[in-house]
Amino acid sequence: MQKIFYDTRELDKAARDAYGLTEDIMMENAAAALERQGSEHFFSPDNKYINRPCVLVLAGGGNNGADGYALARRIVQHKIDVAVCQVYEPKSAMCVLQADRAKKAGAIFINPYDLDEWIERASFDLRVVYDCVFGSGFHGTLDAMAAAVIASANKIDGAYKIACDIPTGADCSQDQNATAFRADTTVTMGALKLALYSDAAKDACGKIVVADLGVSRSNFESAMQAQEAAAPCANLLEPADARLPLRGKKQNSNKGTYGHTAIYAGTKPGAAVIAGHAALKFGSGLASLVPIAEQKINFENVADFELMIADAVPQNATALVVGPGLGRPDSSGSGNDSQDQEAGDNLRLANDSILAAVCGLASVPQPLVLDADIFYWPQIKDLLAVKKNVVLTPHPKEFAALLKNLGMGDYTVAQVVARRFELVKDFCRAYPDCVLVLKGANVLIASKLQDELEPRFYINTLGSSALAKGGSGDVLAGMTAALLAQGYLTLEAAVTASIAHASACHAFDGADYALTPFGLMEKL
């Protein structure tokens, strides 16, 4: 598990004060780290050159640009042609100083208007492109000049792309259509930043490497440990952080030892079947489907003999999944002919049955996993007001519906994605002890314990687009419930299930587009 910080500028200053570092020393270490990441790409025995290897540095006018100028000065000594595209004129004192040093060392400067022509001339020899335009201090929208430069850089084929601190444009969180530098590697300075883990940044950052700036990373992170302003805002999850439900120390056991997961099955029972299989696959000793919609469901067509069918939640159930395929509130189907009338009557019966089940959850003693359709029922507000041992696993659209039903705002999906950290924090403050797992390109897991001032945040970046398939979320719901059924605490269950779920997609040996829920389960 690694610490993530909202902003590291205060840490920069604290490290300089605590360890007697100068800004120049820290900048030299930043440039050295950038150079190391690119060095293996400068020369290659497999490459042929018209002239000699060439490197392009995109430089801004602040200290991120200063890092780029310092980098250019360092690379020139390797007999490599280095061109610095001055996206903005140097403004900060360090940027002016480093630009002068780079020019004296032999780097050439080009203006943005000549960039495309220069790229065309140098493309055969161009090996590495560095993005040093904006760092973590930039928030907003790129102007037309910067956006055009980044778009041109992204079109370059064959060159390895490295971003300094944060890819330019990746932190334009309010603009979903913003152009962002697409890096193969991002070298972030001193410590991890929250902006690296937005959904938009997933495609921009590539591999993320933390650069030491003259002191070790641990010393840098703890330079002002006692001050709340510099406390980490989240934790980055790693595979080792999962506590899998292995049974090696429980040989004297039976199926009851490992809990009983019950899954409510509604109008689309296939989703409940997937969740039930996932629960069994992730260690639950028993799994039962409980039909609640007032309609006849032929489970023989959707469930094999591994899953049990129950008329009500079994008395020995130790966790409950509610939501996958449940059905949403609906007043349609009130036509005039007899067929429409019958359909409308069936729909109203199903709605009434689901409503009764949702309202009855407040008195259920078992821990709950809430997913999918349940977030569209207004009664969830009454449930969360009294029920605490709950894990919620919405995707952004479902989270928007949940916030609306809770009276916490009416948001579009794009707004949820752009403001997810803020909105998740608001939810956790309003509903302490619940655990929220907000799915997305990067999964955000959060919970506020009653005796803590701020919510705990965990970010899971381990998944891939292979999980973008109907039923993947049902698998996660079943896995989470299986851990709750086996006695895990809610936050521990959410973290472990999320890590295992994301990791399993990489073990699939087929094409990424071919991953199905049952294929995913096979790799747990």
Side-chain angles (χ1 to χ4, degrees), residues 49-110:
Y49 309 97
I50 292 178
N51 298 298
R52 62 180 184 178
C54 183
V55 170
L56 173 64
V57 179
L58 311 176
N63 280 2
N64 203 251
D67 290 340
Y69 287 113
L71 168 69
R73 170 180 51 78
R74 295 178 64 93
I75 296 176
V76 165
Q77 67 182 320
H78 300 301
K79 297 183 179 179
I80 295 172
D81 288 339
V82 180
V84 180
C85 178
Q86 295 183 296
V87 183
Y88 301 101
E89 288 294 321
K91 292 182 180 179
S92 73
M94 286 303 300
C95 194
V96 172
L97 174 62
Q98 296 290 10
D100 183 59
R101 290 173 176 174
K103 187 174 184 180
K104 289 176 179 176
I108 64 168
F109 293 175
I110 58 176

Side-chain angles (χ1 to χ4, degrees), residues 30-38 67 71 130 132 162-164 187 189:
L34 290 165
E35 181 185 8
R36 282 193 298 273
Q37 288 300 317
D67 290 340
L71 168 69
Y130 285 98
C132 302
I162 300 174
C164 175
V187 181
M189 303 306 166

